[in-house]
């Protein structure tokens, strides 16, 4: 076993963005309300894994996540919109970052959104910025 490269499996993730995001829908900008991010545990084996490379002091990880907009989804349901619009958005986050002195890490990366009824392909993007 190479002690400088340590593979790991991601088993839990719970994050929130209380400020939410602005969503353009039917030509109008609407505030999503809080955004809730959970680990998507349904993908194929090999997903939700990463590597800590201590020789380079770098961490890499691939997270499969569910992005939920509970308030926005409730509003869409109340308006009688197609139920597919209120479904969670599935996404893959491929991230990397520095391994910190306390062995924690600050990851950032682009997020690939899976097809969803609410978002037009090619017109929607997401990213996660490093935080501590």
């Amino acid at each position: 076993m190479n002690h400088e490269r340590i593979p790991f499996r991601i088993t839990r993730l719970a994050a929130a963005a209380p400020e939410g995001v602005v969503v353009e829908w039917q030509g109008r900008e609407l505030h999503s309300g809080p955004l809730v991010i959970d680990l998507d545990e349904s993908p194929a084996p090999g997903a939700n894994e990463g590597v800590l490379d201590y020789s380079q002091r770098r961490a890499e990880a691939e997270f499969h996540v569910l992005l939920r907009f509970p308030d926005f989804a409730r509003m869409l349901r109340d308006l009688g919109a197609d139920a597919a619009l209120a479904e969670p958005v599935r996404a893959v986050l491929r991230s990397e970052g520095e391994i910190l002195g306390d062995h924690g890490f600050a990851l950032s990366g682009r997020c690939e959104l899976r097809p969803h009824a609410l978002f037009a392909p090619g017109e929607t993007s997401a990213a996660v910025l490093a935080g501590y």
Side-chain angles (χ1 to χ4, degrees), residues 107-125:
L107 299 175
S108 63
R110 302 269 317 152
C111 194
E112 176 187 326
L113 301 174
R114 299 295 189 212
H116 190 276
L118 187 60
F119 301 107
E123 293 181 13
T124 308
S125 65

Side-chain angles (χ1 to χ4, degrees), residues 41-128:
E41 299 180 21
S42 64
N48 297 327
E49 294 183 352
V51 173
L52 300 177
D53 184 343
Y54 277 91
S55 68
Q56 301 294 316
R57 306 248 359 122
R58 300 292 296 167
E60 296 176 2
E62 180 176 294
F63 300 83
H64 290 243
V65 296
L66 294 173
L67 307 169
R68 300 176 198 273
F69 305 87
D71 293 353
F72 192 64
R74 186 173 22 265
M75 180 193 68
L76 290 171
R77 284 191 299 272
D78 290 349
L79 291 171
D82 184 336
L85 296 171
E87 290 292 317
V89 178
R90 294 183 185 279
V92 177
L93 171 62
R94 291 179 185 88
S95 58
E96 60 181 41
E98 175 186 7
I99 298 176
L100 306 174
D102 65 357
H103 300 281
F105 34 92
L107 299 175
S108 63
R110 302 269 317 152
C111 194
E112 176 187 326
L113 301 174
R114 299 295 189 212
H116 190 276
L118 187 60
F119 301 107
E123 293 181 13
T124 308
S125 65
V128 174

